[in-house]
Amino acid sequence: MPSLAIYIEDEITGKLLGRKYIAMLGLRYDAFSPTGFNFSRMFKDKALLKTEHGDFLSPRINLQYILSDDIKIRAGVGRSAKAVSLGYIYMPAAYYEYRSDGLIIEEEQIQYNPDLQAYSIDKYEGSVDWKFGEAIGFSLTGYFQSSDDMPMTMIYPWGYFLNPDTITSAEWKMYENNGWNRSNGLELVLKTKRFNNFQYRMGITYRFNKNGRSGLDYDCNADTNWEDIWFKPYSEWSKKIILDYQINYISNRLGVWITLDIQHIPLEH
């Protein structure tokens, strides 16, 4: 998929309440499958270019506030645009065979969606870095991110667009922009200074994720009750705690880098 991206960035430094801060301001414009300029309808369509799969204006702000030589606060807000897979757009056709008057009839249903759009992800993040002397340091990070209009499969009965009241055992699928996702997490990282070429790192991470889609799902195996055949799709959630332990050894003289990484998941629902 051809795409065009323009990115501008500026960094501002100064002092607030006697402490140094560093602010990074960025703005990115993404156009997926651009087909030309949109000067005549730019303000009405809120789009600089005509595109087949969408365009996005993504601001980004990152801020560092240095309380002391040992404590630093970081915060960030940003949006990122995600292209859709060509496999989603040009999904292979579905085929249905049935017998009629002694003959086997095969029908084809196109499943591609040329109007499928790209989507964006909004992320909010905050961190605190705390260093105890030169020997050990901690970093605590929390985040929340959300996304809408993600490509998800939608199931239809065979012949739906000819007759929306159709109920058949045959079905076909098509990707549409009807998915959503919400996730948040918290991560605590401990890292030591390198002693005799050895360094130890430990991370504790909590992740929660929830996703779903809008519209209705079709179930060809449901009872004759109309509410069971077309039903509101379920949302799904998961949560996980991950413990990660790492010891690495680096020797510049020998040209060796050895890493031992052990991961444990004490909670996964």
Side-chain angles (χ1 to χ4, degrees):
M1 176 187 296
S3 62
L4 172 67
I6 302 173
Y7 182 69
I8 58 175
E9 179 181 293
D10 192 20
E11 186 176 285
I12 302 172
T13 60
K15 285 192 174 183
L16 179 64
L17 301 178
R19 303 296 181 181
K20 181 180 178 181
Y21 71 85
I22 302 173
M24 189 280 289
L25 309 177
L27 186 64
R28 181 184 176 101
Y29 176 74
D30 292 278
F32 299 98
S33 300
T35 58
F37 290 99
N38 194 39
F39 293 135
S40 61
R41 295 175 58 88
M42 183 186 304
F43 296 103
K44 186 174 182 179
D45 295 342
K46 297 180 181 179
L48 175 64
L49 298 175
K50 297 177 182 178
T51 64
E52 294 181 355
H53 304 294
D55 67 330
F56 299 85
L57 196 61
S58 304
R60 185 174 303 170
I61 301 174
N62 291 321
L63 177 66
Q64 294 185 37
Y65 188 61
I66 303 172
L67 291 175
S68 67
D69 292 338
D70 299 326
I71 303 177
K72 180 170 62 177
I73 298 176
R74 294 178 287 122
V77 178
R79 173 176 295 168
S80 58
K82 300 295 182 181
V84 293
S85 169
L86 290 178
Y88 292 177
I89 299 173
Y90 301 104
M91 191 175 179
Y95 296 90
Y96 175 48
E97 290 185 353
Y98 60 93
R99 186 179 294 274
S100 177
D101 298 329
L103 299 176
I104 296 178
I105 308 298
E106 182 181 71
E107 294 184 358
E108 178 188 35
Q109 173 63 56
I110 301 300
Q111 299 187 124
Y112 73 83
N113 184 359
D115 297 324
L116 193 66
Q117 299 293 294
Y119 63 100
S120 63
I121 298 176
D122 295 328
K123 187 171 184 179
Y124 309 85
E125 189 175 49
S127 302
V128 177
D129 302 322
W130 195 348
K131 185 172 62 173
F132 292 89
E134 297 295 332
I136 190 172
F138 292 89
S139 181
L140 180 64
T141 301
Y143 74 90
F144 171 79
Q145 68 179 33
S146 65
S147 182
D148 295 296
D149 301 325
M150 300 173 63
M152 299 285 285
T153 53
M154 182 67 183
I155 300 175
Y156 291 102
W158 201 269
Y160 172 80
F161 286 116
L162 294 177
N163 180 11
D165 293 334
T166 296
I167 299 175
T168 68
S169 60
E171 60 186 31
W172 58 280
K173 303 176 182 179
M174 183 172 69
Y175 279 92
E176 297 182 358
N177 291 101
N178 60 359
W180 56 267
N181 178 268
R182 305 288 184 269
S183 62
N184 58 74
L186 193 65
E187 181 181 35
L188 176 65
V189 176
L190 177 150
K191 185 187 296 184
T192 66
K193 180 185 176 182
R194 192 168 298 281
F195 297 101
N196 297 323
N197 297 337
F198 285 93
Q199 184 183 49
Y200 175 74
R201 180 186 182 278
M202 182 186 73
I204 305 174
T205 305
Y206 169 78
R207 298 175 184 169
F208 179 84
N209 186 75
K210 188 174 184 179
N211 59 76
R213 60 175 175 232
S214 58
L216 295 174
D217 266 346
Y218 176 75
D219 184 2
C220 63
N221 297 315
D223 297 331
T224 55
N225 188 352
W226 183 260
E227 286 77 10
D228 294 335
I229 296 174
W230 287 99
F231 63 93
K232 186 177 180 179
Y234 304 107
S235 61
E236 300 177 349
W237 65 267
S238 64
K239 62 181 178 180
K240 180 187 293 187
I241 294 178
I242 305 171
L243 303 181
D244 190 79
Y245 311 93
Q246 183 187 99
I247 298 177
N248 62 73
Y249 172 83
I250 297 178
S251 174
N252 294 327
R253 183 172 62 88
L254 299 177
V256 173
W257 186 336
I258 301 174
T259 300
L260 174 63
D261 200 329
I262 301 174
Q263 190 174 93
H264 174 52
I265 302 178
L267 174 67
E268 184 173 17
H269 288 167

